[in-house]
Amino acid sequence: MKVKPIFSPRKGRPMCVACFISGSGTNARKIIERSLEPDSRYRVVLIFTDVRDDRLNRDGEKMCRAKDIASEYGIAYECVDIRDFYGSRGVKRTDLSLRPEFDRLVVERIEPHEVDLIALAGYMSITTEPLLERYSGRILNVHPADLSIKEGGERKYVGIHVVRDAILAGERELRASTHVVREKVDYGEVLVVSEPLPVTLPEGLDLEALARDKGLLEKVVDEHQDRLKERGDWVIYPLTIQMIAEGRFALDGGGNVFLDGELRPNGLRL
């Protein structure tokens, strides 16, 4: 199979990135902040969201900060509200058969911005064929687990509760991973894995007792997620995008990752 860089640098033109946001956008902020540094090889040209700016949560606060972030940094903004999309068709959002139609609208909306790379930064909609084909190998996500860990030949920590699952499985450390987005959720090529974050439990408490105390478990998981975001996501996501912009990562279309021409089955581990 032919090895091809995710992005091939072009003289005088930085790599153009779109950040997809559904919530607070903290990862997007870190990506933007890195793009403003003197040695950056990329710039964020678009903030896209699937949540309308006027949608509020139960506390009366904005559900999504995408428009605020775009305005703050002077970045183009686009929105295709997924609730409006499903509501106009009289179908529940859980009906994934309509998701490709939604993603065709997304592609149409972002096409004029000449995006080279899409960074999912707290984007809550599953990406489907229209997006995955148009930007094949050029959509990224960050995941709060070490995706190189396998069990029975499959990735062990996938889905939305992986920090909890890892802690209850007795893992002594947690890591975050950046990966290419593919059709199977959390199964794209791993690019960068963060430094380890030690798992620390309340003194005198074992895993069995922690599992029984749902309130305490939730608190412990939240604390670890917050620390992992700070020491994992916010470090490796901007780093991954910068390295791609430098032309350092390449894929062969068969699931293999190459860094500076060298095969890296589990990406770069910090």
Side-chain angles (χ1 to χ4, degrees), residues 86-239:
Y86 274 93
S88 67
R89 288 154 180 79
V91 178
K92 292 184 178 180
R93 187 174 169 181
T94 51
D95 184 352
L96 297 182
S97 68
L98 288 183
R99 200 56 60 84
E101 182 183 346
F102 176 80
D103 277 345
R104 280 191 285 272
L105 295 176
V106 175
V107 171
E108 290 175 6
R109 191 64 64 86
I110 70 176
E111 193 79 39
H113 297 275
E114 299 182 349
V115 170
D116 298 308
L117 189 82
I118 294 173
L120 305 185
Y123 185 66
M124 302 309 293
S125 291
I126 295 173
T127 53
T128 57
E129 186 177 3
L131 261 176
L132 294 174
E133 283 195 357
R134 175 63 183 85
Y135 298 94
S136 179
R138 296 184 290 136
I139 304 178
L140 304 185
N141 194 24
V142 64
H143 185 70
D146 184 349
L147 287 174
S148 70
I149 298 175
K150 294 185 178 181
E151 186 174 67
E154 297 287 320
R155 289 182 177 173
K156 185 173 182 179
Y157 298 113
V158 298
I160 61 175
H161 299 298
V162 291
V163 172
R164 180 201 65 190
D165 294 345
I167 291 173
L168 292 180
E171 299 288 352
R172 295 184 177 181
E173 58 189 32
L174 306 174
R175 296 175 186 260
S177 308
T178 51
H179 65 95
V180 176
V181 176
R182 299 296 187 185
E183 185 174 5
K184 188 175 181 180
V185 177
D186 298 335
Y187 270 84
E189 298 93 323
V190 176
L191 300 177
V192 180
V193 180
S194 70
E195 293 183 348
L197 172 75
V199 173
T200 55
L201 300 181
E203 188 174 351
L205 191 72
D206 60 24
L207 289 175
E208 290 185 3
L210 180 62
R212 290 193 299 268
D213 190 332
K214 302 302 181 183
L216 182 58
L217 174 60
E218 182 178 355
K219 180 181 177 182
V220 169
V221 169
D222 287 347
E223 290 173 349
H224 282 81
Q225 284 180 326
D226 289 343
R227 294 207 303 273
L228 185 60
K229 175 167 278 195
E230 183 176 346
R231 294 174 54 178
D233 299 22
W234 293 353
V235 174
I236 65 173
Y237 215 172
L239 172 63

